Structure formats: C-alpha cells, structure tokens
Amino acid sequence: MFLSTKSAALAAVTLLASVTSAIDLVVKPSGGNVSSPYMYGLMHEDINNSGDGGIYAELVRNRAFQGSKEFPSSLEGWSATNNDTKLTLTKLSTPLSSALPYSMNVAADKSSAKKLGFSNDGFWGMDVKPQKYTGSFYVRGATKKGAKFTASLQSGLTGDVFGSVEVKSKLDAKVSQKDNGWVQHFFTLVPKVAAPNSNNTFVIEFETKDLAEGTASLDFNLISLFPPTYKNRANGLRPDLVEVLKELKPTFLRLPGGNMLEGNTIDHWWKWNETIGPLKDRPGMAGVWEYQLTTGLGLIDYMNWCDDLDLAPMVAVWSGLALDGTFLSKEDIHIAVDHALDQIEFLTGDAKTTKWGKARASLGYPKPWKVRWVEIGNEDWLAGRPAGFDSYKEYRFPAFLKAFTEKYPEIQVIASPSIFDDMVIPAPAAGDTHPYWTPDQFIKEGFNRFDQLTKQNLTLIGEAASVHPNGGIGWDGPLQHLPWWAGSVAEAIFLLGAERNGDRIIGATYAPILRSLDRWQWAMTLVQHAADPKLTTKSTSWWVWKLLGNHPIKETLPVSHSNGEIGPLYWVAGKGFKNEKIWKAAVYNSTANIPVTIKFEAGKGLKETIVNGVKKLLGIPTKATLWTQTGPGLSEDEQYAVNDPFTGVNVVTEKKTQVKADKDGVFRFSLEPLSVAVLEA
C-alpha cells in the first residue's frame, strides 16, 4: 500500500547531522499576539461512509430505498429470510411520501408459505449488545385483528437470535385509509446476550395467516434501527466515535464540509432545506463519493452535534458551482445567494418574526443558534477551472459577500479559496487553504507559510493532512493507506507555524476525520471505524492533533533562542486560557536527542528577591508538566509506522512527566528525534 520503493521510502525524513549542543530558549512575558480561541476544530462531509454507516448511528443500510440517476434505488442490503419470501422493489402510486417514492413489497413466493420475512445486514455488520435498540418501520396493507410482526437481531452466520420483540400490527380498517395507508410502527428491542462478533442482521417477520382476506403482500419503507446514541438523541450519533472526537477538544465544526456541499451536478447539491424535518420527507442525494446519501445527518442534526460538544458551527453554503464544472450565470447567481440567506435565517432567525425562524420553531427548535462564520462554497478554485474559478472571483463570491455583509454584518464571511490560491480576498472576508502535502512540504513550505499574512489576510485551514511520502510520485499515485508517524510529526510542525500566527488564523481542521474500514474513497483519516467498535482506531495524527488541541494558547509570547534559524526543533510559546505558560514543540530532522533549556521571564516589576538568604523567583514558574509523544524509532519501517486497526497496536508513546526548574528558573530536558512535546508551567 505504500507509494514508494525501499529506496524512495528512505526519503520520508531527511535526517541531518546529530545535534548535541543544547538549544537555549527564553520566553518573553509579553509582546506576542492574541490568538484565535478556535484554533482546532472538526470538518465533516459524508465520505468513506463517515456519516451513513459512521458517526450517524442508524444501523440499517438502504433503509428507505433512496436513489438517484447516479445510484438507482435498489434492494441492496436486503435479503429474504426464507425461500417462501419474495422481495420486490416497487414504485407505488401511493408512496410513503414524495421524497421516498420507492418501497419494498414482501409477498409469498409459494402458496404454502406460512412465515415471511426479510433481513438487513447493516453497514457491513451490526454491533449487538444487551442494550436498548430503538426501531420503527412503515407498513402499507391490511392485517387481521391481533396480527403482529417480530423484530429481532440475529447472527448472520448461525441464525442465532440474540433478542426479539413482538410488534402489534396497527393495520386495521380505520387507519388504512390515512396517509395513503402507510402506518408507522415503533418498538424497542433489548438483546439478552452480546453477539460474539459484528456479523449480524436485523430481521422482521410475520405470518401469512395474519394477512387480511384478499391481501397477498405488505409494503415496507423507512425501516430503521438505532442503538443508544450520544446523549440519547433521537436520530443521533454513534457514541464511541463522538467520544474519540471529543477527546481532541475541538472548538468548531465546519459543516457540511467538502465536495458533498457542491454535489455532482448543478441540479443536485446539498440542499439544506431537504435535510430538515421528518425522515420520511428527506429525499437524500447522490453522494459525490460513490454512494447515495440518506441525509439523515441533516442541518439540524449537525447543529445538535455542535450543541452536544459545545462546538461553534462554521456553516458552508452552496456557491453555485458543481463538481462537474458547471456553475450559475451572473443572472442566476441570486438563486444560490437567496438559498444561502434562507439557510442562515433558518438557523439564526427570530422564531416569531422571520419566515425561516418560524419554520425552525415548528420543528421543535424555537431558540436560534449563533453562527460566527459562513463559508461560501468549497474549493471553488478547483472544479471547472479556469472558468469556474474566474466566475467565483468575478461575480459569484462578490454577490454573496455583498448580501451577507448587508444582512448579517456580524458574521465572518469566508471565501473557499485563499491568497495562496491566487485570489485577492476582498475585505472583510477571510480565506480558506487546504494543504494536502508531503512531510517535507509541511516543514519547508508550511512552518513559515503564514508569516507573510497580514491581519487583513485572516485565513482558515479548512482541511490539512500529510497524504504522500517524500520522494514518492505524489498525486500521480494513491494516498498512503493510513497516517504514519513521520507524516504526523510534520503536521505538528505546520500547526506550530499556524499557532505562531494565531491572530491571522481562524482555526485548523484535519480532513477527512472518519473512514469506514469496509468502504472508503480517501484513506488518510484521523479515525478509522467499522461496525465492531473494537476496531475504532486513533491514528498517529489523532494523537498529535489531540496533544496540540488539548493545550490552547490565547496569546503568543516571543521566544529568543541560541540556535540561529529554527530547526530541527520547531516551537511556539504563549499563555493559556488560565494564564498558564505553554510551550509546544516538535523535532523533525535530527538523528539524536536535542537538549533543551527554557526559561520563562518574569513580567514587568516581577524580579528576583532574597528571602531569608535564599534567592526567590517571583512571577517565574518553577514547576511544569511535560508531555512528549514519540514513535517507535528512526528506521525506514519505524518512520512509516501506523496504528493498524486490525492489530490494535498504538505506535505512539505518550508520556507525562513533572519537570522542575533550577535555581535560575531554567527547565532542562531532552526531546527525541521525530517527537512532539508540550510544556505547561
């Protein structure tokens, strides 16, 4: 899976001569800049089944038979439980809703059939534990009085039943005429035992004797099963994945990030108003990453995610560009602008005086959300270039900027390109940069990249990751199969450069954050997952971003040093939000440990004093905590070490030690090659 040959792989880290003399650092008490309080965040789009089959907790795959031109409706994921059952995809004249026109007809394939049933194998399995599962399904047809359905969780290998529940049929004559005859059934299911593996299925069965006279079949749609969700939200998120992301201590969520926003064509993009309301009214959309999307994880669901993790929403709006390169004309750009303004009114508008605020309240959310940022599009420099990019610069972005500045002057507008993409970002907008680089690029081009920004060049690092090794073939080949330690250290150094310019950086996100181990399109992600939660894996990059994000800096501090130019040790220093002193660092190009001395100078008026004949340091920290992260070593294989989900071995060693300053207030320690560190005093 690695891109490079043996010899090329040796270029993963260009190791320099040993550094033996100490690097002496003095951190000044003031003179830096105020940093963004939102330096580290998350970005999500449904790629790699990171939404459906990922953080969105729905267990049933293809639950509503949604489809599109690219991905036609089908019975994928569904199977008959016996030879007597016939399953047929149908498009009824009386569908469940206009959004969900297709359904599954369940009929007897033989006149002698006694029991009919169907199963769903989930997103490549289902995790079964003795816990409460919440389910529902819609049925159309007629049954006799006392009829019932049986819902169960079973082994896909042996057929063993781990738990089942009877669901009383509500298909009587009185209700069959309502809602086109569709009736929703609800149930809870608690397995008695845990399944030994995730190769399990969800099954619904019924007996033919329970069908009303003259009824030969039943129609089913929107068949859903949820395990316990994060904070027990209906239509909620998968707890283990949320907890892993929560450990990063993110501060914002860019939603819906990535190409998903743009859609494949000018007619089919992420339309926010089709992702709200009851699930039966959400048509889904053709995903841009080779599969259909349910949009069960819709706009409100994203906002609930923000609320549950105390994240500030960074809302992306469609800019009038599709991935096939088509874009709205100057005469039609108002369509996209109006759609975006409606979206923000839906989120922030007054529940009594605005059209879309009232609509939000009608869905059970009377309190408006606060939106600090709106990003116009996604990577508008890419699709359909040069014409698509030219249209963005000439009239698409200016139209959005004018409209938002007039109606929402308190919101920071972000352009999807940045000054690094050959676009002059007009005031008061910010830009967005997406470096997907080699490790060496992050060092040579990335660490000092933001030094050239002025305070008027406010920039978001909306996506970033090491994706190719040094000395490889880059974008002419595939991505690495997993984040690797040397690449993760390089990301850390890039982030240190961003933090040094924290008054010009809005924040940074790794992207993508999640990847299914069963189907993916982009291998490099922070976290990998499968139906079996034991396979949830924190990558090497997760550890690096966690360490840096868990120690936020509110104000940078200047550092004088004895090393001339920075490198192979890279750093940033500052004050934390509790006024603690923080120093973050990483070592990249070294074959030996690097001795480090650090002294935090006292502020104005705080000097040394003599107490009972002993010199005391006032205002200078004398105790500190040092966190260090190291990989397995410097050999070729060790530089490329990954956290493999199937072995469960974590190649990152994180240590926490207490460090005391000497009598002069100097902290002394050494950092290993290819390491990341944080000192907090």
Side-chain angles (χ1 to χ4, degrees):
M1 295 289 285
F2 291 114
L3 297 181
S4 52
T5 62
K6 275 281 188 180
S7 57
L10 287 171
V13 176
T14 307
L15 297 173
L16 303 182
S18 298
V19 177
T20 55
S21 59
I23 297 178
D24 302 316
L25 307 171
V26 178
V27 181
K28 305 298 181 181
S30 61
N33 51 63
V34 176
S35 295
S36 168
Y38 302 99
M39 186 56 68
Y40 292 95
L42 301 172
M43 170 276 210
H44 184 266
E45 70 166 315
D46 203 328
I47 179 177
N48 301 328
N49 281 98
S50 63
D52 293 335
I55 199 165
Y56 181 50
E58 173 66 78
L59 294 176
V60 177
R61 180 163 56 105
N62 193 22
R63 66 184 177 187
F65 317 102
Q66 293 157 301
S68 57
K69 180 180 178 181
E70 293 89 340
F71 311 105
S73 295
S74 71
L75 293 179
E76 181 183 356
W78 297 97
S79 302
T81 55
N82 56 48
N83 293 331
D84 293 339
T85 302
K86 180 180 180 181
L87 307 181
T88 307
L89 182 70
T90 57
K91 189 175 184 180
L92 300 174
S93 59
T94 52
L96 174 59
S97 68
S98 59
L100 302 178
Y102 286 91
S103 53
M104 180 172 66
N105 180 262
V106 182
D109 200 32
K110 300 176 182 178
S111 59
S112 60
K114 294 183 178 181
K115 180 182 287 188
L116 306 181
F118 51 89
S119 67
N120 186 276
D121 58 10
F123 291 91
W124 305 282
M126 296 184 183
D127 184 45
V128 176
K129 294 186 177 76
Q131 59 187 6
K132 185 170 76 172
Y133 293 79
T134 304
S136 64
F137 54 90
Y138 282 88
V139 191
R140 186 180 187 277
T143 58
K144 296 176 182 176
K145 184 177 181 180
K148 61 182 182 294
F149 303 95
T150 301
S152 62
L153 284 165
Q154 303 183 11
S155 169
L157 299 174
T158 65
D160 290 345
V161 177
F162 304 112
S164 66
V165 63
E166 291 186 351
V167 184
K168 182 180 178 181
S169 173
K170 297 189 290 185
L171 291 173
D172 57 39
K174 293 181 180 180
V175 300
S176 62
Q177 301 306 312
K178 298 179 181 179
D179 298 319
N180 290 330
W182 288 95
V183 181
Q184 190 172 21
H185 295 68
F186 298 92
F187 64 91
T188 57
L189 172 60
V190 181
K192 296 180 180 180
V193 295
N197 54 59
S198 60
N199 196 335
N200 305 305
T201 63
F202 172 59
V203 175
I204 294 179
E205 296 174 304
F206 59 92
E207 296 186 5
T208 55
K209 68 180 179 60
D210 284 340
L211 295 175
E213 186 175 351
T215 299
S217 64
L218 297 175
D219 296 297
F220 289 80
N221 206 346
L222 195 50
I223 306 158
S224 174
L225 185 69
F226 276 82
T229 61
Y230 190 73
K231 292 196 173 181
N232 296 313
R233 280 198 183 270
N235 197 52
L237 305 181
R238 181 170 152 174
D240 66 313
L241 296 183
V242 177
E243 290 291 352
V244 167
L245 298 179
K246 183 180 179 180
E247 287 183 69
L248 297 168
K249 294 189 177 179
T251 55
F252 67 89
L253 175 63
R254 180 172 168 243
L255 65 98
N259 295 344
M260 178 177 76
L261 174 69
E262 300 165 272
N264 293 302
T265 68
I266 203 72
D267 296 319
H268 299 97
W269 36 276
W270 197 84
K271 300 176 182 178
W272 67 269
N273 55 315
E274 294 183 355
T275 75
I276 59 176
L279 296 178
K280 72 181 183 66
D281 296 327
R282 302 189 194 185
M285 66 172 283
V288 302
W289 296 104
E290 302 176 10
Y291 56 94
Q292 183 76 15
L293 303 182
T294 69
T295 63
L297 181 56
L299 181 59
I300 286 179
D301 310 291
Y302 274 122
M303 301 306 286
N304 287 337
W305 181 351
C306 289
D307 287 347
D308 289 347
L309 289 190
D310 193 24
L311 305 174
M314 182 178 289
V315 181
V317 298
W318 185 61
S319 67
L321 173 73
L323 288 178
D324 65 2
T326 57
F327 51 88
L328 293 179
S329 66
K330 189 173 184 179
E331 293 71 29
D332 290 336
I333 193 59
H334 68 91
I335 297 172
V337 173
D338 291 344
H339 191 85
L341 292 174
D342 289 346
Q343 181 176 354
I344 301 308
E345 182 178 283
F346 177 82
L347 294 175
T348 68
D350 184 83
K352 295 181 179 180
T353 62
T354 65
K355 172 187 174 181
W356 287 107
K358 291 178 182 178
R360 183 194 68 245
S362 72
L363 297 174
Y365 296 88
K367 183 180 178 181
W369 283 285
K370 180 177 177 59
V371 174
R372 290 177 171 84
W373 313 276
V374 169
E375 182 165 7
I376 312 303
N378 174 75
E379 295 180 347
D380 282 80
W381 49 268
L382 182 57
R385 61 182 176 187
F389 192 16
D390 289 342
S391 73
Y392 188 82
K393 292 184 285 187
E394 291 169 9
Y395 66 85
R396 288 195 291 121
F397 183 72
F400 280 91
L401 183 60
K402 180 177 185 295
F404 273 91
T405 301
E406 291 176 353
K407 187 170 183 179
Y408 298 106
E410 73 281 5
I411 292 179
Q412 174 67 65
V413 175
I414 303 173
S416 68
S418 72
I419 65 168
F420 304 108
D421 301 306
D422 192 28
M423 178 175 173
V424 176
I425 308 298
D432 184 5
T433 185
H434 294 180
Y436 288 108
W437 287 345
T438 66
D440 273 359
Q441 283 179 294
F442 275 120
I443 308 302
K444 297 174 182 177
E445 302 175 35
F447 181 70
N448 296 317
R449 183 176 182 82
F450 304 112
D451 294 353
Q452 63 183 288
L453 295 178
T454 68
K455 291 184 179 181
Q456 288 69 46
N457 296 142
L458 193 62
T459 299
L460 168 72
I461 305 169
E463 303 176 22
S466 291
V467 293
H468 297 126
N470 303 327
I473 58 176
W475 291 105
D476 291 330
L479 307 180
Q480 291 287 78
H481 75 301
L482 286 168
W484 71 105
W485 180 240
S488 301
V489 173
E491 291 166 8
I493 292 170
F494 170 73
L495 293 170
L496 297 179
E499 291 206 48
R500 289 162 71 97
N501 296 281
D503 57 338
R504 285 157 274 183
I505 299 297
I506 296 174
T509 67
Y510 188 103
I513 53 173
L514 297 169
R515 162 191 155 191
S516 167
L517 292 168
D518 293 289
R519 181 170 67 183
W520 69 89
Q521 299 77 40
W522 188 280
M524 301 295 290
T525 58
L526 272 185
V527 178
Q528 297 77 45
H529 61 87
D532 185 350
K534 291 192 292 293
L535 290 175
T536 297
T537 303
K538 303 168 181 176
S539 72
T540 56
S541 289
W542 181 93
W543 286 93
V544 165
W545 286 68
K546 186 266 295 185
L547 181 61
L548 298 181
N550 276 216
H551 302 275
I553 289 174
K554 72 173 182 179
E555 177 187 348
T556 63
L557 294 174
V559 180
S560 62
H561 59 95
S562 63
N563 198 41
E565 294 185 359
I566 294 180
L569 177 69
Y570 301 81
W571 65 80
V572 63
K575 295 179 184 178
F577 285 84
K578 297 180 180 179
N579 286 321
E580 69 275 31
K581 302 294 177 61
I582 298 173
W583 179 78
K584 304 181 184 183
V587 180
Y588 184 72
N589 290 342
S590 177
T591 58
N593 291 0
I594 296 182
V596 179
T597 72
I598 300 178
K599 180 176 181 178
F600 295 92
E601 284 190 343
K604 186 177 180 180
L606 298 176
K607 301 178 181 179
E608 299 176 355
T609 187
I610 303 297
V611 178
N612 296 327
V614 179
K615 183 167 65 174
K616 297 289 186 180
L617 302 172
L618 300 179
I620 300 177
T622 58
K623 295 181 180 179
T625 303
L626 176 66
W627 289 265
T628 58
Q629 291 179 344
T630 56
L634 295 180
S635 72
E636 175 188 342
D637 290 340
E638 289 167 335
Q639 293 173 29
Y640 276 85
V642 302
N643 286 350
D644 188 332
F646 298 103
T647 65
V649 176
N650 178 18
V651 301
V652 182
T653 299
E654 182 173 283
K655 294 181 180 179
K656 177 181 177 182
T657 57
Q658 302 303 313
V659 184
K660 291 184 178 181
D662 63 18
K663 61 183 179 61
D664 296 316
V666 177
F667 296 97
R668 302 175 186 276
F669 52 87
S670 293
L671 296 181
E672 296 183 25
L674 282 181
S675 65
V676 182
V678 171
L679 182 77
E680 190 172 285

